[in-house]
């Protein structure tokens, strides 16, 4: 459940999001534990129920209203955004911005993400959702957890470890570059602690948001028509070993976007993790992303 401070490594003078040239606004996803989320609700409110779905579209509408308010406070109309940058679920939001508000976005950078949640991606999400709900703490009648599902969160992290990095991370011992002696140690000391303290209801909220993401809902399910609405320049940066936001899907989207798109695959055994390169062993991936984002911003 990524939050704003986990992106700070990419923000600053000379960084991917260069504050010497641009003002950077980082909104938190609804449901991520910082913004409006199950874990932020009072006990009585939580018992009354959290919305069953807060969509990517809901998030972008809220972001658009936020920016309108910020501009209004300065007495100025909302200007087109120079860039909407997004990794993973952030990339889903970047695409939503470009399709829902084509006149308000000049460029988007979609890193290890897509225009919609594909079928393989949905299978992955269903597996981690069912792992959580298999815990005895899940109350199906009320639709939330009664206590922290310790075993469910452990199962969640164990499954995620098989999807969150590329196959080469294990078969080529990529984990050794991160300081782990074996695959078991990597899973035990990296993925399991990452989810052990998460709020499970927040995780379910994010899974639902992710699984229902699809810009083609604007055009009756026609993805080509939805991407036809995009006026922004689009930088697509999938990882060649991403196991759920796949390179093939990005290639298909690039073909539909035509001259508006630039496809720059990240070659990395880290898979989906390559798009969030804050770890020292991913310095090459970070430099690759930074270079191509700066090139995108230099285009006029």
């Amino acid at each position: 459940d990524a939050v704003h401070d986990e992106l700070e490594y990419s923000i600053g003078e000379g960084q991917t999001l260069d504050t010497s040239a641009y003002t950077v606004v980082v909104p938190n996803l609804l449901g991520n534990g910082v913004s409006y989320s199950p874990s932020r609700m009072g006990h009585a409110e939580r018992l009354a129920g959290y919305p069953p779905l807060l969509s990517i579209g809901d998030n972008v509408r809220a972001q658009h209203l936020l920016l309108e308010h910020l501009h209004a406070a300065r007495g100025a109309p909302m200007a087109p955004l120079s860039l909407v940058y997004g990794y993973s679920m952030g990339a889903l939001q970047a695409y939503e911005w470009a399709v829902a508000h084509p006149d308000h976005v000049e460029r988007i950078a979609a890193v290890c993400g897509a225009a919609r949640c594909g079928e393989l991606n949905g299978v992955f999400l269903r597996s981690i959702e069912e792992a959580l709900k298999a815990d005895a703490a899940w109350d199906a009648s009320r639709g939330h957890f009664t206590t922290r599902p310790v075993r469910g969160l452990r199962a969640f992290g164990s499954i995620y470890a098989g999807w969150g990095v590329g196959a080469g991370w294990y078969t080529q011992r990529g984990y050794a570059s991160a300081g782990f002696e074996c695959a078991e140690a990597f899973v035990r000391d990296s993925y399991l602690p990452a989810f052990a303290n998460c709020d499970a209801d927040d995780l379910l909220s994010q899974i639902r948001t992710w699984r229902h993401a699809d810009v083609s809902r604007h055009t009756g399910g026609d993805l080509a028509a939805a991407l036809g609405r995009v006026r922004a320049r689009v930088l697509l940066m999938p990882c060649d070993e991403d196991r759920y936001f796949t390179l093939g899907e990005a290639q298909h989207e690039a073909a539909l976007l035509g001259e508006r798109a630039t496809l720059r695959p990240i070659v990395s055994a880290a898979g989906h993790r390559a798009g969030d390169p804050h770890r020292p062993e991913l310095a090459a991936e970070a430099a690759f992303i930074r270079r191509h984002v700066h090139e995108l911003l230099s285009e006029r």
Side-chain angles (χ1 to χ4, degrees), residues 106-144:
E106 295 178 344
R107 306 169 189 83
I108 71 168
V111 181
C112 292
R116 61 184 177 184
C117 178
E119 291 186 329
L120 176 62
N121 206 329
V123 169
F124 158 61
L125 294 174
R126 187 169 298 280
S127 71
I128 54 177
E129 178 177 2
E130 291 302 317
L132 276 179
K133 289 181 176 179
D135 194 288
W138 172 247
D139 186 338
S141 65
R142 294 183 175 179
H144 64 82

Side-chain angles (χ1 to χ4, degrees), residues 15 24 32 43 49 52 131 137 151-152 174 187 192 199 236 250 263 266 273:
Q15 297 301 321
V24 178
N32 78 343
H43 180 68
R151 295 180 65 183
V187 175
L192 298 189
D199 184 282
L236 299 178
L263 180 65
I266 306 166
R273 184 177 277 208

